[in-house]
Amino acid sequence: MRVRKVANAPVSFGVFELSDAPPPLTADEMVRALTEAGYEGIDLGPVGYLGTPDDLAERLGGLWLAGGWADLRYSDAEEFRRGLPALDATLDVFAAAPVGPLPPRPTLGESGVPERFARPGGNAPGLPASEWPGYAARVQEAVDRCRARGFEPVFHHHLGTYVETPDEVERLLELTDVQLCLDTGHLLLAGGDPVTALRAWAGRIGHVHVKDGDTKILAQALAEGVDLRELMGRGGFAPLGEGELDLPAVVRALDEIDYSGWVIVEQDTLPGRRTVAQNIADQAANRRMLKDLGL
């Protein structure tokens, strides 16, 4: 029987990393807001935000852990090795999560590539062909490392990295056996069609991030020479229904391919660009919209 659950993520509230500045809201406040909005799960966010392995279960407050980001620099062998302890630390937190109706999926991503971060959307040179075998081998090593800990990871294509465009996603899928975290917003802004991708990659999709995107904001950002971070701050990833994503068609495609797994709503934003109250209202509205579509 198909099991499908809907989650949200700290990035929707501007929480990307822990630094000297406090997050715009506490983890407890976020968990409470998402629970009240009807979400069933939450992504991990930066390690430590939702607590430690010792207190994670309590801090989840009844939500299930859906996934969590772990990036590595796959294009640089030495940097990749230096990043593996951070992946292990993320998996330690996963191992402490309560067993739910769906397992959490480690979400493997690449650390941003400066040239591509500056010109997101496939507008900067990609990985040279000669470097793809090494890149893919390191991705596969990270996948196998997760599997050795009992987790089935997914790889997240992402603006500002070497796996950004549909062709680059295809290349990675050819060279590895990793499942894909299909992110509708990142694919849309990288020139892809999320509905077509859901159908084409159905057999490899293990996680879905539902995110809207606005190519007009992307075009303006490129014209003004601002980077991916500022694109997010300007609303390049819009509230559901306010961008160009055909959300009803996405939901229909999920049904067509009989997708089972987590559907994670994300609306990447920066701290301070929207108030906490606005972010909470956005995520409640996003959840209502998906409920209206039967998800």
Side-chain angles (χ1 to χ4, degrees), residues 151-284:
F151 298 105
E152 185 62 35
V154 289
F155 189 93
H156 190 312
H157 59 96
H158 201 285
L159 295 185
T161 75
Y162 281 135
V163 183
E164 187 175 28
T165 68
D167 286 346
E168 290 160 352
V169 175
E170 290 274 10
R171 185 67 174 140
L172 184 76
L173 294 178
E174 290 171 2
L175 294 174
T176 69
D177 68 3
V178 70
Q179 290 192 319
L180 183 67
C181 173
L182 191 142
D183 186 300
T184 60
H186 281 275
L187 193 68
L188 180 67
L189 294 188
D193 179 346
V195 174
T196 298
L198 281 166
R199 293 173 177 143
W201 299 330
R204 296 290 293 275
I205 295 172
H207 225 37
V208 174
H209 286 184
V210 170
K211 182 182 299 172
D212 213 332
D214 191 323
T215 59
K216 297 183 294 300
I217 294 177
L218 172 62
Q220 187 65 32
L222 292 170
E224 295 180 13
V226 301
D227 64 12
L228 174 57
R229 183 175 177 84
E230 178 60 20
L231 171 67
M232 292 189 292
R234 293 183 177 194
F237 297 116
L240 295 182
E242 295 186 16
E244 296 158 41
L245 180 69
D246 188 344
L247 186 60
V250 166
V251 174
R252 288 195 299 271
L254 291 173
D255 288 337
E256 288 172 16
I257 68 173
D258 200 29
Y259 172 75
S260 296
W262 283 106
V263 175
I264 302 177
V265 177
E266 289 188 339
Q267 185 184 327
D268 299 6
T269 188
L270 296 184
R273 295 301 182 93
R274 298 175 73 80
T275 67
V276 170
Q278 286 174 319
N279 286 330
I280 290 174
D282 282 346
Q283 301 324 309

Side-chain angles (χ1 to χ4, degrees), residues 59-73:
R59 298 290 296 280
L60 286 171
L63 294 179
W64 303 110
L65 184 64
W69 180 266
D71 66 56
L72 292 162
R73 194 167 293 284

Side-chain angles (χ1 to χ4, degrees), residues 96-121:
V99 177
L102 290 169
R105 306 295 293 269
T107 309
L108 301 177
E110 184 190 4
S111 303
V113 177
E115 296 82 2
R116 289 204 138 190
F117 198 89
R119 301 283 297 170

Side-chain angles (χ1 to χ4, degrees), residues 6-18 22-46 48-51 56 58-65 67 264-271 274-284 287:
V6 180
N8 204 290
V11 295
S12 300
F13 298 83
V15 179
F16 289 88
E17 58 187 28
L18 300 179
L25 75 173
T26 68
D28 291 341
E29 290 170 332
M30 185 183 298
V31 165
R32 183 165 56 252
L34 294 180
T35 301
E36 291 174 353
Y39 291 95
E40 297 155 294
I42 185 171
D43 250 16
L44 183 63
Y49 177 67
L50 276 178
L56 176 67
E58 180 181 355
R59 298 290 296 280
L60 286 171
L63 294 179
W64 303 110
L65 184 64
I264 302 177
V265 177
E266 289 188 339
Q267 185 184 327
D268 299 6
T269 188
L270 296 184
R274 298 175 73 80
T275 67
V276 170
Q278 286 174 319
N279 286 330
I280 290 174
D282 282 346
Q283 301 324 309
R287 186 67 190 97

